[in-house]
Amino acid sequence: MSVLNVVGLRHSFAGAPVLKDISFQVQKGEIVGLIGPSGAGKSTLLRALCGLEKPDSGEIILQNQDITSLSERNLRKARQGIGLVFQHFNLLETRTVTQNVALPLKIAGWPAQKRQARVAELLALVGLSEHHAKYPAQLSGGQKQRVGIARALANDPSLLLCDEATSALDPQSTTTVLDLLSDINRTLGLTIILITHEMEVIRRFAQRVLVLEQGALVHDGGMLDLLTRAHNPPAIQALLNETRPTLPSPLQQSLTPQPQADRHAVIRVVLVESAAQTAFLSELSERFSIKAVLIAGGASLCAGVPTVDMILALNRALTDDIVEYLAEKAQLMEVLGYVPAHR
Ligand SMILES: Nc1ncnc2c1ncn2[C@@H]1O[C@H](COP(=O)(O)OP(=O)(O)OP(=O)(O)O)[C@@H](O)[C@H]1O
Ligand SMILES: [Mg+2]
């Protein structure tokens, strides 16, 4: 079931196109990452999705209604079905945690008693019950963001939009907030779209990734698709390189494109799912009497899927039988070049 259907969305500022014919769908319960270089139009897209920015043309169908054609009054109502989480939390400093979380309920006209019960439930959900009477200044960044999430969930939205929700947080708090969002996604089946410039966040968290580049949607698919594809557009490759193993720069500098007798082949190998859990390296070395030196990388989870992404130096020429074997076993085998042999 599709929660959101975006069709041919276009938007410009002062005649300059910022969103160019964007179309995609989001299914219920999906976690979708939205990435792209600064200025690509990510925040503008998110603002359009929640009706804060009126696009020049196109449709945004949220739960069977096109929010681009709603009256101001109906739009305000539709917005209650969308939760927003911001980088800088946007909490009211002079209100307590409870009051901050209660605010959207108040606006939606909930009676005081029902409000109280709902706030207690939300604070329990985000693990902040004992901090209910504190003011934002008395909380850590991670706690503030959990208040932001509780507030965003208050009206039981069908879609949660997060714009750089973890960018202002330290790694520990980032993990706490992502774990919380994952839990909410699993237990409530909540659909989440998350903008981030941290590829590591996408890798750990997003089941699907949309890449925006200069206002155009240039990728819509799994993170694994990107990791296992040899030729990505340069902008995507640059983003990927932030999270995947890369050659240390001294080796990078000594890399040559042509094989030579006294040089080792340097390859990238990506293994996913069951292939990531086999004795790949020892099998490779036994089968071909090859020494494979791990230069960078290793095993991790990519959106919950076991993944090995590694760079190896091989002490043998890449003969056809080795290439064939690697192509069969690995989801990606890419020759990066050749480096001088270690003595
Ligand atoms: N209110 C506005 N008025 C005029 N131009 C704007 C406005 N908001 C955004 N822009 C422009 O639209 C383009 C896209 O901006 P947007 O904020 O959506 O990018 P972004 O992908 O979120 O970037 P970042 O990663 O830096 O947050 C940029 O060129 C920006 O300068
Ligand atoms: Mg932005």
Side-chain angles (χ1 to χ4, degrees), residues 176-236:
T176 315
V177 164
L178 290 181
D179 287 349
L180 172 65
L181 289 174
S182 293
D183 279 352
I184 293 168
N185 166 261
R186 240 190 340 265
T187 55
L188 306 181
L190 185 66
T191 314
I192 302 176
I193 301 181
L194 177 118
I195 291 182
T196 179
H197 65 264
E198 299 164 293
M199 282 304 285
E200 191 50 32
V201 167
I202 295 286
R203 186 188 168 91
R204 278 161 48 186
F205 186 65
Q207 297 149 354
R208 182 171 148 211
V209 48
L210 303 177
V211 185
L212 268 189
E213 199 188 333
Q214 296 182 356
L217 191 59
V218 295
H219 176 81
D220 176 357
M223 179 71 182
L224 282 174
D225 297 342
L226 294 179
L227 286 179
T228 56
R229 203 158 67 180
H231 301 290
N232 283 304
I236 295 180

Side-chain angles (χ1 to χ4, degrees), residues 267-321:
I267 63 174
R268 179 190 296 284
V269 174
V270 179
L271 309 163
V272 300
E273 296 188 59
S274 56
Q277 291 159 304
T278 57
F280 171 83
L281 281 178
S282 47
E283 277 174 24
L284 175 70
S285 101
E286 274 166 29
R287 200 173 178 116
F288 300 100
S289 311
I290 216 169
K291 276 188 191 152
V293 179
L294 180 65
I295 308 268
S300 65
L301 286 177
C302 179
V305 177
T307 306
V308 170
D309 188 347
M310 60 188 172
I311 297 177
L312 303 173
L314 306 180
N315 73 334
R316 266 195 53 186
L318 269 177
T319 48
D320 287 349
D321 53 344

Side-chain angles (χ1 to χ4, degrees), residues 18-323:
V18 170
L19 297 177
K20 304 171 184 167
D21 195 15
I22 307 270
S23 299
F24 63 93
Q25 288 190 359
V26 177
Q27 308 301 318
K28 179 168 168 38
E30 267 193 298
I31 298 181
V32 178
L34 176 57
I35 58 172
S38 182
K42 305 179 295 295
S43 295
T44 307
L45 175 57
L46 220 66
R47 289 170 56 78
L49 295 184
C50 59
L52 289 172
E53 198 79 63
K54 194 166 170 55
D56 298 345
S57 61
E59 293 172 12
I60 299 170
I61 319 279
L62 184 72
Q63 304 237 296
N64 298 323
Q65 52 179 2
D66 181 1
I67 65 160
T68 65
S69 61
L70 293 180
S71 66
E72 194 52 45
R73 192 193 138 109
N74 286 337
L75 181 60
R76 239 177 290 140
K77 213 161 181 182
R79 256 191 224 138
Q80 289 177 8
I82 305 172
L84 288 174
V85 181
F86 305 94
Q87 178 175 7
H88 297 296
F89 326 122
N90 295 17
L91 302 178
L92 297 174
E93 294 294 325
T94 57
R95 306 283 173 90
T96 63
V97 167
T98 293
Q99 289 168 334
N100 268 285
V101 176
L103 199 61
L105 298 170
K106 216 168 169 177
I107 293 169
W110 287 48
Q113 208 162 25
K114 259 184 85 187
R115 232 160 44 210
Q116 223 172 17
R118 177 68 179 146
V119 170
E121 191 180 79
L122 289 160
L123 291 181
L125 181 72
V126 301
L128 287 179
S129 301
E130 63 196 77
H131 299 288
H132 70 277
K134 288 191 175 163
Y135 288 87
Q138 297 169 294
L139 301 176
S140 71
Q143 289 168 336
K144 282 185 207 171
Q145 194 56 296
R146 283 189 277 153
V147 177
I149 292 169
R151 182 187 54 190
L153 296 176
N155 280 311
D156 201 13
S158 53
L159 181 63
L160 188 69
L161 304 177
C162 308
D163 195 347
E164 304 278 9
T166 59
S167 303
L169 304 179
D170 60 86
Q172 180 67 46
S173 305
T174 294
T175 299
T176 315
V177 164
L178 290 181
D179 287 349
L180 172 65
L181 289 174
S182 293
D183 279 352
I184 293 168
N185 166 261
R186 240 190 340 265
T187 55
L188 306 181
L190 185 66
T191 314
I192 302 176
I193 301 181
L194 177 118
I195 291 182
T196 179
H197 65 264
E198 299 164 293
M199 282 304 285
E200 191 50 32
V201 167
I202 295 286
R203 186 188 168 91
R204 278 161 48 186
F205 186 65
Q207 297 149 354
R208 182 171 148 211
V209 48
L210 303 177
V211 185
L212 268 189
E213 199 188 333
Q214 296 182 356
L217 191 59
V218 295
H219 176 81
D220 176 357
M223 179 71 182
L224 282 174
D225 297 342
L226 294 179
L227 286 179
T228 56
R229 203 158 67 180
H231 301 290
N232 283 304
I236 295 180
Q237 204 56 49
L239 287 167
L240 277 183
N241 285 344
E242 288 171 20
T243 182
R244 72 187 329 185
T246 46
L247 270 180
S249 63
L251 268 185
Q252 181 77 46
Q253 279 152 20
S254 60
L255 207 64
T256 57
Q258 295 305 327
Q260 283 170 28
D262 59 343
R263 291 195 152 234
H264 285 179
V266 178
I267 63 174
R268 179 190 296 284
V269 174
V270 179
L271 309 163
V272 300
E273 296 188 59
S274 56
Q277 291 159 304
T278 57
F280 171 83
L281 281 178
S282 47
E283 277 174 24
L284 175 70
S285 101
E286 274 166 29
R287 200 173 178 116
F288 300 100
S289 311
I290 216 169
K291 276 188 191 152
V293 179
L294 180 65
I295 308 268
S300 65
L301 286 177
C302 179
V305 177
T307 306
V308 170
D309 188 347
M310 60 188 172
I311 297 177
L312 303 173
L314 306 180
N315 73 334
R316 266 195 53 186
L318 269 177
T319 48
D320 287 349
D321 53 344
I322 298 177
V323 172

